[in-house]
Amino acid sequence: MMSLAMKPAAFQATPQLGPEASRELLQRLGRVRLTDKRRKELADLAAAARAAFARPLPTAANGR
Amino acid sequence: MAVEVADLVIRHIRDVDDETLKGFTCGRDQLDEFLLEDARDYDAHGITSTVVVFVPGRVAPAGYFSLSADSVRLTESEEFELGLPFDAPISYYPAVKLTKLATSFELQSQGLGEAIVELICGLVTEVPFAVRVLTVDAVNQPKVIAFYERVGFVESLADRREKKDQRAPATVLMVRDLYL
């Protein structure tokens, strides 16, 4: 197995959010709480993710 | 035909063999090579976790995504500007970074990317710890930025400020509040 140190290109220096996030974003984060509607939406998506893991993989007989 | 979340089949990369992975191409060599050559190593070293996405009737992967834990760090002054309705001595918001997202060249512009992002929202809220924000270092191309905006990401203004001297930064940091 090739070591990670040998693959600098794969790391592609990406920026961090840094010590200073945007004030607009932070204030919105602090003032928004999870609503029942959004909680239900996220729960439905979580159920969809579990179902996606549980479904059988497509087989060659079904297509390419 | 639009791809729906309910159509997707997903597997962790450790459960997908190399022959299957070789059937994937998104049109960008860097992303194709990551899946084939690096994703397993990154997983084995705890850097990113990669999930391969399939759609019905197609053996080859339809796409993949990689996730890592992340945080939106706060400066001292920002800790007082959060607007939380209670005192909370926090120095960061818990986040998950979408480190890679790619869809098959043949399936692009069919809603697959959007469906994958929705699925990720479900995955990261399923875990028994708090995740408030998704982050992504979006490739600085209009099509890519437009995609992330379409699925609810906004550009980090702090990131823009930090890169104001760069004419064309390679990536743009974008964030999505999972609660919205």
Side-chain angles (χ1 to χ4, degrees), chain B residues 73-148:
Chain B
R73 295 199 169 278
L74 312 177
T75 63
E76 213 167 275
S77 63
E78 286 170 338
E79 292 175 28
F80 294 100
E81 295 175 351
L82 281 177
L84 285 169
F86 52 88
D87 290 331
I90 61 172
S91 57
Y92 63 89
Y93 259 96
V96 165
K97 174 156 280 190
L98 178 52
T99 58
K100 294 281 186 297
L101 172 61
T103 57
S104 168
F105 184 73
E106 298 169 343
L107 295 171
Q108 289 171 10
S109 302
Q110 296 183 34
L112 176 59
E114 288 85 344
I116 290 174
V117 171
E118 288 301 289
L119 203 67
I120 291 169
C121 291
L123 279 174
V124 302
T125 51
E126 176 89 325
V127 294
F129 49 83
V131 179
R132 178 64 190 269
V133 178
L134 287 181
T135 63
V136 66
D137 294 313
V139 174
N140 192 10
Q141 295 174 355
K143 187 178 174 185
V144 176
I145 302 298
F147 166 77
Y148 283 110

Side-chain angles (χ1 to χ4, degrees), chain A residues 57, chain B residues 11-18 20-21 40 52 54 61:
Chain A
L57 286 172
Chain B
R11 291 290 186 277
H12 192 277
I13 192 168
R14 71 176 76 100
D15 298 322
V16 182
D17 60 49
D18 285 342
T20 301
L21 296 183
R40 291 188 198 280
V52 185
F54 299 86

